[in-house]
Amino acid sequence: MAGPRPIISSVPLQMLYTTNIWFFTFWWIVEFAVFIWKGYELPYPSSSWGSEFFLLWLTLPIECIRIFFGMKGNLTEQKFPLIISFLMSLPTVGITIFFLVAQTYVLRVEVVICAMMCVFLGLEFLFGFIAALNFARNEPFHT
């Protein structure tokens, strides 16, 4: 009889996901407040503000689902939830880069927090990829 299976879930990945829960909350609240301020103080084209504000609201469910599946995949040592998390990170990265460089008005505070968000997403992708490789390598072979 074989001994107990070693735990191979990634502690750094779990720490990143847990920290990102707090950072994403901070990022979203700051972006929301900045969008409200920009809507009142800056002359936006009529359709721009609404579409950019919609993108901000769109990040909320996407990022929550992404973090949930990433944490679940890491803790249960399963590849499929991590793959879902990887796929869900693509729209989040795209929207964050849009907020970083392509929205109508980009403030310095947005540059800083969006760059930090991109760093979080990149690190989570890197550590998640390494964890998924470990899970695949340590998966029992069924005959």
Side-chain angles (χ1 to χ4, degrees):
M1 182 169 155
R5 212 178 70 144
I7 297 173
I8 56 173
S9 62
S10 172
V11 174
L13 179 60
Q14 197 64 28
M15 290 170 55
L16 279 169
Y17 280 130
T18 303
T19 307
N20 198 14
I21 290 171
W22 293 100
F23 180 75
F24 176 72
T25 304
F26 169 75
W27 177 87
W28 199 89
I29 290 170
V30 169
E31 281 291 334
F32 182 82
V34 166
F35 265 104
I36 297 299
W37 179 82
K38 289 192 298 189
Y40 282 113
E41 296 295 325
L42 300 174
Y44 260 90
S46 61
S47 64
S48 260
W49 188 85
S51 60
E52 291 175 7
F53 198 63
F54 173 75
L55 283 177
L56 178 65
W57 278 98
L58 189 61
T59 59
L60 194 58
I62 291 173
E63 189 67 4
C64 290
I65 292 168
R66 184 189 74 81
I67 291 173
F68 170 77
F69 277 107
M71 291 178 83
K72 179 181 178 184
N74 184 42
L75 292 176
T76 60
E77 300 176 1
Q78 295 177 350
K79 296 176 299 203
F80 186 68
L82 281 177
I83 292 170
I84 292 173
S85 179
F86 292 156
L87 294 175
M88 296 294 286
S89 68
L90 297 176
T92 303
V93 168
I95 292 171
T96 304
I97 290 174
F98 173 80
F99 285 152
L100 185 62
V101 296
Q103 65 179 325
T104 306
Y105 298 106
V106 182
L107 304 180
R108 284 185 191 158
V109 67
E110 291 177 303
V111 170
V112 170
I113 64 173
C114 286
M116 290 172 63
M117 184 69 160
C118 286
V119 168
F120 265 110
L121 291 167
L123 287 173
E124 288 171 2
F125 190 84
L126 176 68
F127 281 102
F129 185 73
I130 293 169
L133 287 177
N134 282 337
F135 300 160
R137 186 176 50 204
N138 290 314
E139 201 170 72
F141 183 72
H142 299 286
T143 57

